[in-house]
Amino acid sequence: MATSPRGKSAPAPLTAVVNAHVVPIDGDPFDGTVVFGGGTITALGADVKVPDGAAVIDAEGKWLLPGFVDAHVHLGTHEEGEGSAGDDTNEMTDPNTAGVRALDAINPYDPGFDDALAGGVTTVNVNPGSGNPIGGLAVAIHTHGRYIEEMLLRSPSGLKSALGENPKRVYGDKKQTPSTRLGTAMVIRKAFMEAQNYMGKADENARDPRLEALAMVLRREIPWRQHAHRADDIATAIRLADEFGYDLVLDHGTEAHLLADVLAERGTPVLIGPLFTTKSKVELRGRSIANPGKLAAAGVEISIITDHPVIPINFLVHQATFAIKEGLDRETALRSITINPAKVLGLAERLGSLAVGKDADVVLWSGDPLDVMQRALQVFIGGREVYRYDPTTRSGVVAARG
């Protein structure tokens, strides 16, 4: 499993943001200073002294938060404005494509990455699509870079699977297995049984990318990222996880509130969303912006997702805002787009909150980001400014990649 080292290029400059209203996520907000250099946060607090030689940014009371994290997107694999030529989300030629990697299909020049920065999103998890029962390996990356290795945070970060309508439709139309929910579950069970047999073999030369990916799940090196909307599909996801003993993360969870007590007791996180869609198909009849609040109230750890390009990634924070309107508490709303998805991605020691030693992925906002009238003014990744809003042109300026 690959994770990106810090400081691959020249050290990021020493910078102090002063007179800021700082919202660290883990800890109470305060008015004060955040200092970062060499890619990490070196000091923060109400009475922090500015180090000699530091570049000073006077926030003038503006809000400073960690960069937002969207744990379920298709950035770079389903490119905007490209049509089918830029759509590489699904390898729908076999029900089990566990060995494919989203990493190999990401175009860092997809304009969606610039939109992410404008929305204060500095980290994303790029998933394969949901056309197959087993779709492939996800990857966690930063939202600015010249080529993917510069952006890499964790690879792989999970193995995508889908239950419900999508694989039924894709393979049912092809008149092959699976054409039903029971067929989809069988495909997944068979794949895990084959992986268990593979793990028990003495011959280390007989390698198979699909079985090696599944073995990582069985060894609990990466989570099983389960696309599921309906409550019955969520129950199947739980059943399969119990049978094979892996770490389950629920993606979408449209009807997860119907099993909220079960999920809370198990400690199963739910990546809920996208929330700004219509009830366009049977599986989405239970979609409601009130659902995140219901899950959180039951004790389920939630993250809010856009599924970009289903919902534009710069609307991530707006989904959190509207969820508050419908009952989600404010603190959980902010955690759902910062530290909670960072935990799901195995990156909470580096991302998702402001603390000494964490990556300097910070965003200066004009005000409270949960106010739809506010905007990201400056975005830093690893302590380097990668985005700045220009009020004269009313547009964002993105730093050159590389």
Side-chain angles (χ1 to χ4, degrees):
M1 184 186 306
T3 56
S4 72
R6 289 166 169 159
K8 291 182 292 183
S9 55
L14 185 62
T15 303
V17 182
V18 302
N19 299 323
H21 180 68
V22 182
V23 183
I25 303 301
D26 280 337
D28 295 331
F30 63 88
D31 295 330
T33 298
V34 175
V35 180
F36 45 89
T40 63
I41 297 170
T42 59
L44 73 165
D47 301 311
V48 168
K49 182 180 178 181
V50 176
D52 293 339
V56 176
I57 298 171
D58 188 349
E60 300 178 328
K62 299 178 180 67
W63 290 46
L64 194 72
L65 285 90
F68 293 150
V69 182
D70 191 335
H72 183 128
V73 302
H74 304 288
L75 267 176
T77 62
H78 191 167
E79 301 172 51
E80 296 194 72
E82 292 288 339
S84 60
D87 185 357
D88 293 295
T89 53
N90 286 291
E91 178 59 42
M92 292 184 293
T93 54
D94 191 298
N96 177 6
T97 56
V100 305
R101 307 184 306 169
L103 176 75
D104 295 322
I106 297 172
N107 177 8
Y109 293 87
D110 176 357
F113 284 106
D114 292 353
D115 292 340
L117 297 175
V121 181
T122 55
T123 297
V124 293
N125 191 71
V126 183
N127 283 346
S130 54
N132 296 338
I134 305 175
L137 294 164
V139 60
I141 60 174
H142 275 137
T143 52
H144 185 272
R146 179 171 55 94
Y147 73 115
I148 199 66
E149 275 67 23
E150 292 178 340
M151 305 160 71
L152 186 65
L153 285 163
R154 187 184 180 197
S155 177
S157 54
L159 182 54
K160 175 71 177 290
S161 171
L163 294 169
E165 175 186 330
N166 287 3
K168 273 186 57 173
R169 171 178 46 80
V170 170
Y171 290 95
D173 288 349
K174 296 179 180 181
K175 306 299 182 186
Q176 70 179 85
T177 304
S179 61
T180 61
R181 280 180 164 80
L182 51 93
T184 299
M186 182 196 69
V187 168
I188 294 171
R189 281 193 179 92
K190 181 180 178 182
F192 275 122
M193 290 175 182
E194 290 174 349
Q196 288 173 329
N197 294 337
Y198 176 80
M199 292 167 69
K201 286 182 179 179
D203 183 4
E204 297 181 357
N205 295 319
R207 301 186 65 189
D208 184 305
R210 296 185 303 174
L211 298 176
E212 290 190 7
L214 288 157
M216 293 180 72
V217 175
L218 293 173
R219 290 193 296 264
R220 292 190 161 179
E221 295 172 3
I222 57 174
W224 183 251
R225 295 289 302 270
Q226 187 66 75
H227 165 114
H229 286 281
R230 277 182 14 183
D232 56 334
D233 290 324
I234 293 169
T236 297
I238 293 170
R239 189 178 311 115
L240 289 167
D242 285 346
E243 287 180 33
F244 294 99
Y246 50 74
D247 294 327
L248 174 65
V249 176
L250 281 176
D251 284 54
H252 304 303
T254 298
E255 295 184 1
H257 60 285
L258 299 178
L259 297 175
D261 57 332
V262 177
L263 297 170
E265 183 179 357
R266 295 173 57 89
T268 301
V270 176
L271 310 186
I272 188 162
L275 299 173
F276 285 177
T277 61
T278 61
K279 300 172 183 178
S280 57
K281 58 182 182 179
V282 171
E283 289 185 346
L284 299 181
R285 286 184 300 184
R287 188 208 61 76
S288 170
I289 300 176
N291 288 347
K294 293 177 182 179
L295 286 168
V300 178
E301 183 179 277
I302 65 164
S303 299
I304 292 176
I305 61 173
T306 62
D307 201 9
H308 177 95
V310 177
I311 300 298
I313 191 166
N314 48 312
F315 287 2
L316 176 65
V317 68
H318 301 325
Q319 292 190 126
T321 295
F322 277 81
I324 293 171
K325 180 181 178 181
E326 299 302 327
L328 181 64
D329 69 279
R330 178 189 174 84
E331 179 181 353
T332 302
L334 281 175
R335 294 181 70 85
S336 75
I337 54 176
T338 53
I339 194 63
N340 287 358
K343 289 178 183 177
V344 167
L345 301 181
L347 295 169
E349 292 185 359
R350 292 182 60 177
L351 309 168
S353 66
L354 301 180
V356 172
K358 284 201 169 188
D359 288 12
D361 297 351
V362 299
V363 181
L364 183 65
W365 289 82
S366 57
D368 181 356
L370 294 172
D371 175 353
V372 295
M373 298 305 293
Q374 307 304 320
R375 66 172 72 249
L377 298 177
Q378 287 178 271
V379 178
F380 298 83
I381 292 180
R384 296 185 177 280
E385 186 184 71
V386 294
Y387 173 92
R388 178 188 292 262
Y389 178 73
D390 183 349
T392 60
T393 62
R394 297 189 63 82
S395 62
V397 178
V398 176
R401 294 177 174 87

